[in-house]
Amino acid sequence: MLDFLGLGKPTQIAVITDNIEVSAANYAALFGLPVPEISTGGTYDVTKCEYMGAPAPDCGAKLAFFNLEGIQFELIEPYGADSTWKDFLTETGGGLHHMAFQVPDMDAAIAKCEAAGMKLTQKGLYADASGIYAYLDARDSLKIFVELLHSF
Amino acid sequence: MLDFLGLGKPTQIAVITDNIEVSAANYAALFGLPVPEISTGGTYDVTKCEYMGAPAPDCGAKLAFFNLEGIQFELIEPYGADSTWKDFLTETGGGLHHMAFQVPDMDAAIAKCEAAGMKLTQKGLYADASGIYAYLDARDSLKIFVELLHSF
């Protein structure tokens, strides 16, 4: 059983897809919203991405965001080398992947999640270096991944 | 590509699990909220559940809900005979399953979703007969299931 984490309300849910252009158009049709701009997760010189504890200079993803009144919905298409996104796409063919939570102290939040049995699979800076993210595999306890977000 | 559906903001996201008591306790710890009451989806005499177009008197699920300021998070543990929930649990081992949308006209919304290529897998009344739900398999276009909800 998971110990108390108390991360509050998720601020984001995310789907991993093999074709973000098609998925962005399809979700725009579903919600009745404009097709969002597609950006990238940034380059290694900025993001310093780590995958399974090691530097991952070639891991990347295309991203698109819908703001749904109180919760953000994200689409992710992985590219490049191994990443926690690509692992999920390979294993599942794509689908709902994670809930994200804003945390005040990233190291403390990662330590709490690891102590609760979650496995840190990837972390790095945002594409504009304005914050840091970490993915934790919580499929044993929660059937999903948890993403932690901290803006500087 | 999906034609325009314009369902607006999802009001619910849901995870399917094989043990709702454990999952409810774990998500309560994750969010920092009280463990919710566990209810059931109701009995066939009320719900008139249909699975893959046929009456499904033995399909059922235990349910638990967290209200997360603007979006509801649901846990579902299927039991009994075949259901769209049990199919998903068997195929995936559990995980994030659907986004739900409130619709003003259920038959019109189902027809629009079917015309867009989604497959109706299950529908029925709420446990208290106060509304109707329908699940549509949208994994081809959206990588998820869509649930339509209409309160009487």
Side-chain angles (χ1 to χ4, degrees):
Chain A
M1 203 75 82
L2 215 61
D3 287 333
F4 178 80
L5 289 165
L7 294 178
K9 177 190 184 302
T11 56
Q12 180 193 81
I13 53 175
V15 158
I16 289 187
T17 175
D18 56 355
N19 188 326
I20 200 168
E21 287 80 11
V22 169
S23 291
N26 283 340
Y27 273 100
L30 178 73
F31 297 139
L33 292 173
V35 178
E37 187 188 347
I38 293 166
S39 59
T40 81
T43 53
Y44 182 72
D45 56 310
V46 177
T47 65
K48 312 292 185 206
C49 180
E50 293 179 18
Y51 167 70
M52 303 305 265
D58 296 324
C59 101
K62 294 198 270 187
L63 308 176
F65 300 92
F66 292 91
N67 288 307
L68 299 174
E69 297 167 36
I71 197 154
Q72 186 182 64
F73 177 68
E74 180 184 25
L75 293 169
I76 301 172
E77 181 191 332
Y79 61 78
D82 287 342
S83 64
T84 198
W85 306 305
K86 184 170 266 188
D87 288 345
F88 185 81
L89 183 61
T90 303
E91 285 171 31
T92 67
L96 282 163
H97 176 257
H98 69 256
M99 283 185 192
F101 297 86
Q102 302 287 339
V103 298
D105 180 331
M106 178 59 80
D107 290 342
I110 290 173
K112 266 171 79 169
C113 288
E114 288 184 323
M118 301 183 199
K119 181 174 172 51
L120 179 67
T121 59
Q122 187 174 316
K123 66 177 178 175
L125 298 174
Y126 302 169
D128 63 358
S130 67
I132 186 168
Y133 70 88
Y135 285 105
L136 292 122
D137 185 344
R139 287 178 293 182
D140 280 353
S141 52
L142 299 169
K143 309 283 186 190
I144 62 164
F145 282 75
V146 166
E147 185 181 19
L148 305 175
L149 300 170
H150 178 76
S151 296
F152 299 136
Chain B
M1 202 77 83
L2 215 62
D3 287 332
F4 178 81
L5 289 165
L7 294 179
K9 176 190 187 302
T11 54
Q12 179 192 83
I13 52 176
V15 159
I16 289 186
T17 176
D18 56 355
N19 188 326
I20 200 167
E21 287 79 11
V22 169
S23 292
N26 283 341
Y27 273 98
L30 178 72
F31 298 138
L33 292 174
V35 178
E37 187 189 347
I38 294 167
S39 59
T40 81
T43 52
Y44 181 73
D45 57 310
V46 178
T47 66
K48 311 293 185 203
C49 180
E50 293 179 19
Y51 166 70
M52 304 304 267
D58 295 323
C59 102
K62 293 197 269 186
L63 308 175
F65 299 93
F66 291 91
N67 288 309
L68 299 174
E69 295 167 38
I71 197 154
Q72 185 181 66
F73 177 69
E74 180 184 25
L75 293 169
I76 301 171
E77 180 191 331
Y79 60 77
D82 287 342
S83 64
T84 198
W85 307 305
K86 184 170 265 188
D87 288 344
F88 184 81
L89 182 61
T90 302
E91 287 171 30
T92 67
L96 281 162
H97 175 259
H98 69 257
M99 283 186 191
F101 298 85
Q102 301 287 337
V103 297
D105 180 331
M106 178 59 81
D107 289 341
I110 290 173
K112 266 170 78 170
C113 289
E114 287 183 322
M118 301 182 198
K119 182 175 172 52
L120 179 68
T121 59
Q122 187 173 316
K123 66 176 177 176
L125 298 175
Y126 302 169
D128 62 358
S130 66
I132 186 168
Y133 71 88
Y135 285 104
L136 291 121
D137 185 344
R139 286 179 294 182
D140 280 352
S141 53
L142 299 169
K143 310 283 186 190
I144 61 166
F145 282 75
V146 166
E147 185 180 19
L148 304 175
L149 301 170
H150 177 76
S151 297
F152 299 134

